[in-house]
Coordinates of all heavy atoms in Angstrom, one line a residue:
V1 N -24.0 -5.4 -5.4 CA -22.7 -5.0 -4.9 C -21.7 -5.7 -5.9 O -21.9 -6.8 -6.3 CB -22.5 -5.5 -3.5 CG1 -21.1 -5.3 -3.1 CG2 -23.5 -4.8 -2.6
R2 N -20.6 -4.9 -6.2 CA -19.4 -5.5 -6.8 C -18.5 -5.9 -5.7 O -17.8 -4.9 -5.1 CB -18.8 -4.6 -7.8 CG -19.7 -4.2 -9.0 CD -19.0 -3.4 -10.1 NE -18.1 -2.3 -9.5 CZ -18.6 -1.1 -9.3 NH1 -19.9 -0.9 -9.5 NH2 -17.9 -0.2 -8.8
W3 N -18.3 -7.1 -5.4 CA -17.4 -7.4 -4.2 C -15.9 -7.4 -4.6 O -15.6 -7.7 -5.8 CB -17.7 -8.9 -3.8 CG -19.1 -9.1 -3.3 CD1 -20.1 -9.8 -3.8 CD2 -19.5 -8.5 -2.0 NE1 -21.2 -9.8 -3.0 CE2 -21.0 -9.0 -2.0 CE3 -19.1 -7.7 -0.9 CZ2 -21.8 -8.7 -0.9 CZ3 -20.0 -7.4 0.0 CH2 -21.3 -7.8 0.1
V4 N -15.0 -7.0 -3.7 CA -13.6 -7.0 -3.9 C -13.1 -8.5 -3.8 O -13.7 -9.2 -3.0 CB -12.9 -6.2 -3.0 CG1 -11.4 -6.3 -3.0 CG2 -13.2 -4.7 -3.1
R5 N -12.3 -8.9 -4.8 CA -11.8 -10.3 -4.7 C -11.0 -10.4 -3.4 O -10.3 -9.5 -3.0 CB -11.0 -10.6 -5.9 CG -11.9 -10.8 -7.2 CD -11.0 -11.2 -8.3 NE -10.3 -10.0 -8.8 CZ -9.5 -10.0 -9.9 NH1 -9.3 -11.1 -10.6 NH2 -8.9 -8.8 -10.3
P6 N -11.0 -11.6 -2.8 CA -10.4 -11.8 -1.5 C -8.9 -11.3 -1.5 O -8.5 -10.7 -0.6 CB -10.5 -13.3 -1.2 CG -11.7 -13.7 -1.9 CD -11.7 -12.8 -3.2
E7 N -8.1 -11.7 -2.6 CA -6.7 -11.2 -2.6 C -6.5 -9.8 -2.8 O -5.4 -9.3 -2.7 CB -6.0 -12.0 -3.7 CG -6.6 -11.7 -5.1 CD -7.7 -12.7 -5.5 OE1 -8.4 -13.2 -4.6 OE2 -7.8 -13.0 -6.7
G8 N -7.6 -9.0 -3.0 CA -7.5 -7.6 -3.2 C -7.9 -6.8 -2.0 O -7.9 -5.6 -1.9
I9 N -8.2 -7.5 -0.8 CA -8.5 -6.9 0.5 C -7.3 -6.5 1.2 O -6.4 -7.4 1.4 CB -9.4 -7.8 1.3 CG1 -10.8 -8.0 0.6 CG2 -9.7 -7.2 2.7 CD1 -11.6 -9.1 1.3
H10 N -7.1 -5.3 1.5 CA -5.9 -4.8 2.2 C -6.3 -3.5 2.9 O -7.3 -2.9 2.7 CB -4.9 -4.6 1.2 CG -5.3 -3.7 0.1 ND1 -5.7 -4.2 -1.2 CD2 -5.4 -2.3 0.0 CE1 -6.1 -3.3 -2.0 NE2 -6.0 -2.1 -1.3
L11 N -5.3 -3.1 3.8 CA -5.5 -1.8 4.5 C -4.6 -0.8 3.9 O -3.4 -0.7 4.0 CB -5.1 -2.0 6.0 CG -4.9 -0.8 6.9 CD1 -6.2 0.1 6.9 CD2 -4.6 -1.2 8.3
T12 N -5.3 0.1 3.2 CA -4.6 1.1 2.3 C -4.0 2.3 3.3 O -4.8 2.8 4.1 CB -5.5 1.8 1.3 OG1 -6.0 0.7 0.5 CG2 -4.7 2.8 0.5
L13 N -2.8 2.6 3.2 CA -2.1 3.6 3.9 C -2.0 4.9 3.0 O -2.2 6.0 3.5 CB -0.7 3.3 4.4 CG -0.6 2.2 5.5 CD1 0.8 1.9 5.8 CD2 -1.4 2.6 6.7
K14 N -1.7 4.6 1.7 CA -1.5 5.7 0.8 C -1.9 5.3 -0.6 O -1.4 4.4 -1.1 CB 0.0 6.2 0.8 CG 0.2 7.3 -0.2 CD -0.4 8.6 0.1 CE 0.0 9.7 -0.8 NZ -0.6 11.0 -0.5
F15 N -2.9 5.9 -1.2 CA -3.3 5.7 -2.6 C -2.6 6.7 -3.4 O -2.9 8.0 -3.2 CB -4.8 5.6 -2.7 CG -5.3 5.5 -4.2 CD1 -5.1 4.2 -4.8 CD2 -5.8 6.5 -4.9 CE1 -5.5 3.9 -6.1 CE2 -6.2 6.3 -6.2 CZ -6.1 5.0 -6.8
M16 N -1.9 6.3 -4.4 CA -1.1 7.3 -5.2 C -1.7 7.5 -6.6 O -1.3 8.3 -7.3 CB 0.4 6.8 -5.3 CG 1.1 6.9 -4.0 SD 2.7 6.2 -4.0 CE 2.2 4.4 -4.1
G17 N -2.6 6.6 -7.0 CA -3.3 6.7 -8.4 C -2.3 6.3 -9.5 O -1.4 5.6 -9.3
E18 N -2.6 6.8 -10.7 CA -1.7 6.5 -11.8 C -0.4 7.3 -11.8 O -0.5 8.5 -12.0 CB -2.6 6.8 -13.1 CG -3.8 6.0 -13.2 CD -3.6 4.6 -13.7 OE1 -2.5 4.4 -14.4 OE2 -4.5 3.8 -13.6
I19 N 0.6 6.6 -11.6 CA 2.0 7.3 -11.6 C 2.9 6.6 -12.4 O 2.8 5.5 -12.7 CB 2.5 7.5 -10.1 CG1 2.7 6.1 -9.5 CG2 1.5 8.3 -9.1 CD1 3.4 6.0 -8.1
P20 N 4.0 7.4 -12.9 CA 5.0 6.8 -13.8 C 5.8 5.7 -13.0 O 5.9 5.7 -11.9 CB 5.9 7.9 -14.2 CG 5.1 9.2 -14.0 CD 4.1 8.8 -12.8
I21 N 6.2 4.6 -13.8 CA 7.0 3.6 -13.2 C 8.2 4.2 -12.6 O 8.7 3.7 -11.5 CB 7.4 2.5 -14.3 CG1 6.2 1.7 -14.6 CG2 8.5 1.7 -13.8 CD1 6.4 0.6 -15.6
A22 N 8.8 5.2 -13.2 CA 10.0 5.9 -12.5 C 9.7 6.4 -11.1 O 10.5 6.3 -10.2 CB 10.5 7.0 -13.4
T23 N 8.5 6.9 -10.9 CA 8.1 7.4 -9.6 C 7.8 6.2 -8.7 O 8.1 6.3 -7.4 CB 6.7 8.2 -9.7 OG1 7.0 9.4 -10.6 CG2 6.4 8.8 -8.4
V24 N 7.2 5.1 -9.2 CA 7.2 3.9 -8.4 C 8.5 3.4 -7.9 O 8.5 3.1 -6.6 CB 6.4 2.8 -9.3 CG1 6.4 1.5 -8.4 CG2 5.0 3.1 -9.6
E25 N 9.5 3.5 -8.6 CA 10.8 3.1 -8.2 C 11.4 4.0 -7.1 O 12.0 3.6 -6.1 CB 11.8 3.1 -9.4 CG 11.4 2.0 -10.4 CD 11.4 0.7 -9.9 OE1 12.3 0.3 -9.0 OE2 10.6 -0.2 -10.3
K26 N 11.0 5.3 -7.2 CA 11.4 6.2 -6.1 C 10.7 6.0 -4.8 O 11.3 6.0 -3.7 CB 11.1 7.7 -6.6 CG 12.0 8.2 -7.7 CD 11.7 9.7 -8.1 CE 12.5 10.1 -9.2 NZ 12.1 11.5 -9.7
V27 N 9.4 5.6 -5.0 CA 8.6 5.2 -3.8 C 9.2 4.0 -3.2 O 9.4 3.9 -1.9 CB 7.1 5.0 -4.2 CG1 6.4 4.5 -2.9 CG2 6.5 6.3 -4.6
L28 N 9.6 3.1 -4.0 CA 10.2 1.8 -3.5 C 11.4 2.0 -2.7 O 11.7 1.4 -1.7 CB 10.5 0.9 -4.7 CG 11.2 -0.5 -4.5 CD1 10.4 -1.3 -3.5 CD2 11.5 -1.2 -5.7
K29 N 12.2 3.0 -3.1 CA 13.4 3.3 -2.4 C 13.2 4.0 -1.1 O 13.9 3.9 -0.1 CB 14.4 4.1 -3.3 CG 14.9 3.3 -4.5 CD 15.8 4.2 -5.3 CE 16.3 3.4 -6.5 NZ 17.2 4.2 -7.4
S30 N 12.1 4.8 -1.1 CA 11.9 5.7 0.1 C 11.0 5.0 1.1 O 11.2 5.3 2.3 CB 11.0 6.9 -0.4 OG 11.7 7.8 -1.3
L31 N 10.3 3.9 0.8 CA 9.5 3.3 1.7 C 10.1 2.6 2.9 O 9.7 2.8 4.1 CB 8.4 2.3 1.0 CG 7.3 1.7 1.8 CD1 6.5 2.8 2.4 CD2 6.5 0.8 0.9
P32 N 11.2 1.9 2.7 CA 11.9 1.4 3.9 C 12.3 2.3 4.9 O 12.3 2.1 6.1 CB 13.1 0.6 3.3 CG 12.6 0.3 1.9 CD 11.8 1.5 1.4
E33 N 12.8 3.5 4.4 CA 13.2 4.6 5.3 C 12.0 5.1 6.1 O 12.1 5.5 7.3 CB 13.9 5.7 4.5 CG 14.4 6.9 5.4 CD 15.0 7.9 4.6 OE1 15.5 7.7 3.5 OE2 15.1 9.1 5.1
A34 N 10.8 5.2 5.5 CA 9.6 5.8 6.1 C 9.1 4.8 7.2 O 8.6 5.4 8.2 CB 8.5 5.9 5.1
V35 N 9.4 3.5 7.1 CA 8.9 2.6 8.2 C 10.0 2.1 9.1 O 9.7 1.4 10.0 CB 8.1 1.4 7.5 CG1 7.0 1.9 6.7 CG2 9.2 0.5 6.8
L36 N 11.2 2.7 8.9 CA 12.4 2.3 9.7 C 12.1 2.3 11.2 O 12.5 1.4 11.9 CB 13.6 3.1 9.3 CG 14.9 2.7 9.9 CD1 15.2 1.2 9.5 CD2 16.0 3.6 9.5
G37 N 11.5 3.4 11.7 CA 11.4 3.5 13.1 C 10.1 2.8 13.7 O 9.9 3.0 14.9
S38 N 9.4 2.2 13.0 CA 8.2 1.6 13.4 C 8.4 0.1 13.9 O 9.1 -0.7 13.3 CB 7.1 1.6 12.3 OG 6.8 2.9 11.8
S39 N 7.7 -0.2 15.0 CA 7.7 -1.6 15.5 C 6.4 -2.2 15.1 O 5.4 -1.6 14.9 CB 7.9 -1.7 17.0 OG 9.2 -1.1 17.3
P40 N 6.3 -3.6 15.0 CA 5.0 -4.3 14.9 C 4.0 -3.8 15.8 O 4.3 -3.6 17.0 CB 5.4 -5.8 14.9 CG 6.9 -5.8 14.6 CD 7.4 -4.6 15.1
F41 N 2.8 -3.7 15.4 CA 1.7 -3.3 16.4 C 0.4 -4.1 16.1 O 0.2 -4.6 15.0 CB 1.4 -1.9 16.2 CG 1.1 -1.4 14.8 CD1 -0.2 -1.3 14.4 CD2 2.1 -1.1 13.9 CE1 -0.5 -0.9 13.0 CE2 1.8 -0.6 12.6 CZ 0.5 -0.6 12.1
P42 N -0.4 -4.3 17.1 CA -1.6 -5.2 17.0 C -2.7 -4.5 16.3 O -3.0 -3.2 16.5 CB -2.0 -5.4 18.4 CG -1.5 -4.2 19.2 CD -0.2 -3.8 18.5
L43 N -3.4 -5.2 15.4 CA -4.6 -4.8 14.7 C -5.7 -5.9 14.8 O -5.3 -7.0 15.1 CB -4.3 -4.4 13.3 CG -3.6 -3.2 12.9 CD1 -3.3 -3.0 11.4 CD2 -4.3 -1.9 13.5
A44 N -6.9 -5.6 14.7 CA -8.0 -6.5 14.7 C -9.1 -6.1 13.7 O -9.4 -4.9 13.6 CB -8.5 -6.7 16.1
I45 N -9.8 -7.1 13.1 CA -10.9 -6.8 12.3 C -12.2 -6.7 13.2 O -12.3 -7.7 14.0 CB -11.1 -7.8 11.3 CG1 -9.9 -7.9 10.4 CG2 -12.4 -7.5 10.4 CD1 -9.9 -9.1 9.4

């Protein structure tokens, strides 16, 4: 097995692959609006 390094473990919501930095900046601006109506919610491993 090739283990994921501990700091690389996360819960992926959206994988976008290889995208231009300009698109990354657009995502950055859109993301706060996308999560605006969400409240914190419980999760467990």
